[in-house]
Amino acid sequence: IRFSCHEFRSWRGITSIVVVCLALCALAVVAEDNGLARLPYMGWNSWSTDDIAGLLDLCFESEVHGIADAMAKYLKPLGYNYVILDDCWAAHERDTQGRLQGDAKRFPSGMKALVDYVHSKGLRIGFYTCAGNITCKYNRPGSYGHYELDAQTFASWGADLVKLDNCHIPHDVPDRKVLYTQFSQALNATGRPMLFALCEWGQGNPWEWAGDIANSWRIHTDLLPWWWGS
């Protein structure tokens, strides 16, 4: 194949542009880079699975065991590998060390044992918490003011995912992005890779910044089991 000098210069120019663009793209990739969620993660979430929109707010140790058993047998080969507990698992009080703890009646074996069970099935497990003082359902303790401690707690259990919701954030917080960034940093500081699922509802335009600090992010209101007509 022959190229004229003009054609060669043109191709050389195009090549230079491509190289520069790739370099700029590499510099621009500042998204959460913990090796997780390279593809969309799939699995089961307790939200709205036992009742309408979490009104009864159900999840139990035996239920999670059953879900994990079924997923491992039927769905894991298809790529479904996350078992995620939404706003249903935590006790209404922190323990004596100020740490989040599971509801002892619903999870009598404790959260670490639950994590170990799910892991024994070759699956991953995630937990819900909230950026504000209390969670969205039934006033469980939120993570505000405890981001580092709660991240360490989840890591100590062996959690693979943490969802941070958007309820009951103090009114004097001007920018939710700051809080979500702090929690992202707290997760990374534990040294355990945990997928960060950012749940901000779209109030602060998360599509503009969430990709820098989270593996996934929500941009609108809840997924509910009914259709809002026009």
Side-chain angles (χ1 to χ4, degrees):
I1 301 173
R2 293 183 177 180
F3 294 98
S4 67
C5 290
H6 174 73
E7 289 172 327
F8 179 76
R9 285 195 298 268
S10 298
W11 279 104
R12 185 174 61 182
I14 292 172
T15 302
S16 298
I17 292 172
V18 171
V19 171
V20 170
C21 287
L22 290 174
L24 289 175
C25 288
L27 291 174
V29 176
V30 294
E32 176 74 345
D33 187 14
N34 53 14
L36 304 174
R38 298 303 189 191
L39 296 173
Y41 62 95
M42 301 188 296
W44 175 87
N45 188 301
S46 65
W47 175 256
S48 283
T49 55
D50 294 314
D51 59 277
I52 297 177
L55 293 177
L56 299 179
D57 196 25
L58 300 174
C59 69
F60 299 91
E61 182 176 297
S62 59
E63 176 189 34
V64 176
H65 285 184
I67 291 294
D69 293 344
M71 282 185 61
K73 184 175 182 179
Y74 299 108
L75 294 177
K76 181 186 172 186
L78 302 177
Y80 293 84
N81 56 6
Y82 278 91
V83 176
I84 303 170
L85 301 188
D86 212 86
D87 192 0
C88 63
W89 62 270
H92 286 83
E93 301 289 340
R94 291 175 176 268
D95 68 14
T96 56
Q97 296 180 317
R99 297 180 180 273
L100 292 174
Q101 57 183 340
D103 185 318
K105 292 183 178 180
R106 297 187 181 195
F107 299 94
S109 301
M111 308 317 292
K112 181 62 169 66
L114 186 75
V115 170
D116 291 343
Y117 186 89
V118 172
H119 284 169
S120 74
K121 301 297 179 178
L123 303 172
R124 299 172 181 175
I125 187 168
F127 294 95
Y128 166 106
T129 187
C130 199
N133 291 307
I134 55 177
T135 66
C136 297
K137 299 290 292 184
Y138 301 107
N139 298 324
R140 295 184 176 89
S143 287
Y144 184 77
H146 302 86
Y147 289 170
E148 292 183 0
L149 178 62
D150 291 353
Q152 292 166 6
T153 298
F154 291 130
S156 71
W157 294 344
D160 305 293
L161 176 152
V162 180
K163 170 185 172 181
L164 189 68
D165 211 344
N166 192 36
C167 284
H168 303 291
I169 292 175
H171 296 297
D172 59 352
V173 175
D175 187 356
R176 282 168 164 76
K177 176 182 177 181
V178 173
L179 299 187
Y180 284 98
T181 299
Q182 290 173 349
F183 193 81
S184 175
Q185 293 170 343
L187 289 177
N188 289 336
T190 67
R192 176 175 178 78
M194 290 181 279
L195 192 155
F196 181 25
L198 187 154
C199 180
E200 199 272 345
W201 312 346
Q203 293 178 332
N205 300 341
W207 50 87
E208 296 178 354
W209 49 266
D212 295 343
I213 60 173
N215 299 109
S216 71
W217 52 96
R218 201 175 87 187
I219 61 173
H220 212 277
T221 51
D222 274 325
L223 175 64
L224 300 172
W226 56 75
W227 178 261
W228 293 99
S230 58

